[in-house]
Amino acid sequence: MLLFIQFFKNYESEILGSIILLLVLLIIRYIARKLIKKIGHKAGINDARIHLISRYATATLILIWLLIETIIFGAQFEEIAVVFSSVFAVIGIALFAIWSILSNITSGIIMFFNFPYKVGDKIMIHDKDFPIEAIIEDIAAFQLHLRLDNGDLVTYPNNLILQKPVTLLKKDAIVLPQDDGTDAV
């Protein structure tokens, strides 16, 4: 018990700073989640995508918290720079192999905040090799799920949908089942 008390006496200001930082970041997280939810509902985005973007925001805040915590407990900028450059070098090599996945996730985040089409809209993707005319069934983290007129399901990567011209053919072409389990009319 004496060791425990001594620890708190030695690191009193750091622990107080950590508690304040944690409270501030929790408040920022709360505000960010509310804003994301408000933007999502205003844009007519489904709850699963809203939850996904909220998790991305939370993960970003955790990384910021870890960085500031190291500074609070006395790590010097040079020490942090060495650690981060080493970590980012390893991560960079690993991520180079999966750049397409990161590109799709980033595109999914961009599409959350700025994508004029919604689930249920009928669109045409002007791809010279494979033009697609389909109804958007779902907008996931990595791809769009498109239902063709013949009933086939096509998954289209998020990063490609932002690179190709798209035409809205019909707004709310289908009515999807409601969340409460009943079908819409």
Side-chain angles (χ1 to χ4, degrees):
M1 185 66 159
L2 185 61
L3 190 60
F4 194 70
I5 294 171
Q6 186 65 33
F7 174 79
F8 279 108
K9 284 186 179 185
N10 288 343
Y11 294 102
E12 184 177 349
S13 63
E14 290 88 353
I15 292 171
L16 183 61
S18 297
I19 291 170
I20 291 170
L21 174 65
L22 187 60
L23 290 174
V24 168
L25 289 179
L26 285 174
I27 291 169
I28 291 172
R29 179 178 176 256
Y30 175 79
I31 292 169
R33 288 179 67 145
K34 288 290 186 185
L35 284 173
I36 291 169
K37 197 174 205 178
K38 184 178 180 180
I39 291 169
H41 285 165
K42 185 177 180 182
I45 297 170
N46 66 12
D47 288 336
R49 285 190 60 216
I50 292 170
H51 182 67
L52 181 67
I53 298 299
S54 293
R55 286 193 310 185
Y56 290 159
T58 299
T60 302
L61 285 174
I62 288 172
L63 291 175
I64 291 170
W65 174 77
L66 284 172
L67 176 63
I68 296 173
E69 273 299 311
T70 58
I71 294 169
I72 287 174
F73 276 92
Q76 298 300 314
F77 178 74
E78 293 80 19
E79 296 166 341
I80 295 171
V82 168
V83 170
F84 273 95
S85 63
S86 301
V87 168
F88 282 127
V90 171
I91 290 174
I93 292 168
L95 294 182
F96 180 74
I98 57 171
W99 70 270
S100 178
I101 292 172
L102 287 178
S103 173
N104 284 319
I105 290 173
T106 305
S107 298
I109 293 170
I110 292 169
M111 288 169 54
F112 178 82
F113 290 105
N114 189 17
F115 191 60
Y117 314 110
K118 299 187 181 17
V119 172
D121 290 350
K122 186 168 188 172
I123 60 170
M124 179 172 192
I125 301 170
H126 302 277
D127 187 345
K128 73 174 188 164
D129 297 328
F130 186 60
I132 297 175
E133 187 173 314
I135 296 173
I136 300 174
E137 238 182 45
D138 189 20
I139 303 173
F142 300 103
Q143 74 272 341
L144 281 118
H145 295 184
L146 304 170
R147 185 68 62 183
L148 300 176
D149 291 335
N150 66 4
D152 290 346
L153 179 68
V154 175
T155 56
Y156 203 81
N158 286 342
N159 61 350
L160 290 183
I161 197 75
L162 292 180
Q163 296 174 13
K164 304 285 181 185
V166 178
T167 302
L168 176 64
L169 299 177
K170 188 173 181 187
K171 193 94 173 142
D172 295 323
I174 60 169
V175 178
L176 297 174
Q178 300 295 321
D179 288 339
D180 61 356
T182 61
D183 290 339
V185 180

